[in-house]
Amino acid sequence: MRRLPGCGLIMDAALMSPPRRLSVPIDNRWGGGRMSVLDFGDPKRPVDLIFSHANGFNAGAYRSLLSPLSTSLRIWAPDLRGHGASDLPVFARPKTSWRDHRDDLLALMETIEGPPPVLAGHSMGGTASLLAAAERPDRVASLVLLDAVIWRRSAMLVFNLPFAHRFLSRIPIARATLRRRALFASREEAMAAYRGRGAFKGWPDMVLADYLAEGLVEGPDGFTLAATPAWEAANYAAQAHDPWRALRLYCGPIRILKAEHGALTHVPSSPRGLPHVSVEVVRGGGHMFPMTHADVTREALFEAAV
């Protein structure tokens, strides 16, 4: 990969190689197991970037976003707890927040040698990265948050009240997730069911195929979702964490890209008292802009990590 004036990122597909799959042991209060990690780039160089996916997705869904960067960067993309090929237990403790994903990322970071990497992530993965950086700012070079879930401060006060997760479990997105179809006769059937619909509207077929390659598990009755609807819905309802506190605690550079339409990042363009935070709007992009606007997303990741 190289940068030419006025030409953005120039990528040579011949230099790309498929990511390796690592299995990293994780053991913390949420239950131990192995975290599956896609390892992009030269294995001899330090890890430059750790990228975490959105709720219900997996690392493989971002393969076409991250692969071109592997000519210059080494990237680890984990399957978060309850997603993809990771076998970390779910519901081992009551699910009220994303501190489990935070702690899993902290454990993953402890296995990395060399200088602190950039943490980046989409939606829930961005929020989990922010929470991890606030706990161990010395282990994080900077943050790139792609429409991370950061509700308004007033909403976060409500979400952190005792037992708030009980009424959050009844919000429309959580209830709709529980009704989601979870069994398909084939990958082709799943592809046809998802193409151009709902959250997948506007996705290139290659990106959708990457998501399904890692997001479906073959069993005796067909293909089921690796991230079960129950776990995905539980993540939507588990909002008793505080990303605003994390924005204050982590004082390194934080670059936020948020959607123009339907943004889940409720951070203003010039957030008061947070001079280290920059916020940009992805024009024409919805919450899934890493899939539909890969070029601007990839450029932000590249600029942070070089």
Side-chain angles (χ1 to χ4, degrees):
M1 178 184 298
R2 64 190 188 279
R3 179 184 295 278
L4 298 179
C7 295
L9 297 176
I10 308 300
M11 298 147 198
D12 185 351
L15 296 177
M16 299 179 207
S17 59
R20 300 162 295 278
R21 186 176 294 281
L22 308 178
S23 183
V24 180
I26 300 291
D27 189 13
N28 54 34
R29 62 179 174 146
W30 310 100
R34 304 193 75 84
M35 174 176 273
S36 178
V37 178
L38 292 183
D39 182 13
F40 297 81
D42 184 355
K44 297 179 182 178
R45 66 176 290 129
V47 175
D48 300 289
L49 173 71
I50 299 176
F51 183 93
S52 298
H53 59 78
N55 186 27
F57 295 161
N58 54 72
Y62 301 82
R63 186 189 306 263
S64 65
L65 171 69
L66 301 175
S67 285
L69 297 169
S70 68
T71 58
S72 294
L73 305 174
R74 187 176 180 195
I75 303 168
W76 275 15
D79 286 334
L80 299 179
R81 184 177 294 261
H83 296 76
S86 291
D87 67 3
L88 297 166
V90 298
F91 299 119
R93 297 171 67 96
K95 179 72 174 174
T96 61
S97 74
W98 292 348
R99 295 185 184 94
D100 52 350
H101 301 306
R102 176 200 69 184
D103 292 349
D104 292 342
L105 286 178
L106 290 170
L108 182 66
M109 289 159 53
E110 288 301 317
T111 69
I112 295 176
E113 298 180 354
V118 173
L119 294 193
H122 177 210
S123 192
M124 182 180 76
T127 309
S129 298
L130 170 62
L131 297 173
E135 290 294 312
R136 288 298 307 272
D138 58 308
R139 296 288 294 140
V140 179
S142 68
L143 286 166
V144 180
L145 309 181
L146 308 176
D147 212 41
V149 181
I150 304 176
W151 302 112
R152 292 181 176 87
R153 297 174 195 260
S154 56
M156 293 310 309
L157 290 174
V158 175
F159 294 162
N160 277 272
L161 292 174
F163 312 116
H165 64 284
R166 293 184 180 178
F167 73 79
L168 284 170
S169 66
R170 297 191 290 272
I171 61 176
I173 191 170
R175 297 179 69 176
T177 298
L178 289 173
R179 297 192 299 269
R180 181 169 300 163
R181 181 179 176 183
L183 178 65
F184 299 91
S186 66
R187 296 185 186 277
E188 292 74 20
E189 184 182 66
M191 186 86 171
Y194 286 146
R195 183 185 283 120
R197 298 180 182 178
F200 303 98
K201 187 176 182 179
W203 285 33
D205 274 359
M206 179 175 64
V207 179
L208 181 54
D210 281 342
Y211 159 68
L212 293 173
E214 305 288 342
L216 293 176
V217 178
E218 187 172 6
D221 299 322
F223 292 83
T224 57
L225 294 172
T228 66
W231 181 246
E232 185 179 348
N235 278 293
Y236 286 130
Q239 299 297 318
H241 44 264
D242 191 348
W244 287 97
R245 176 178 179 272
L247 286 172
R248 296 192 302 272
L249 288 178
Y250 179 73
C251 296
I254 301 176
R255 184 177 181 182
I256 297 176
L257 274 65
K258 71 183 207 177
E260 183 176 21
H261 309 293
L264 295 185
T265 296
H266 295 276
V267 179
S269 56
S270 299
R272 183 181 302 174
L274 299 171
H276 59 297
V277 179
S278 66
V279 182
E280 306 157 43
V281 174
V282 177
R283 299 300 175 191
H287 182 60
M288 296 298 165
F289 70 77
M291 281 67 179
T292 61
H293 294 63
D295 287 347
V296 65
T297 306
R298 196 179 292 120
E299 183 114 8
L301 296 173
F302 181 77
E303 289 177 351
V306 294

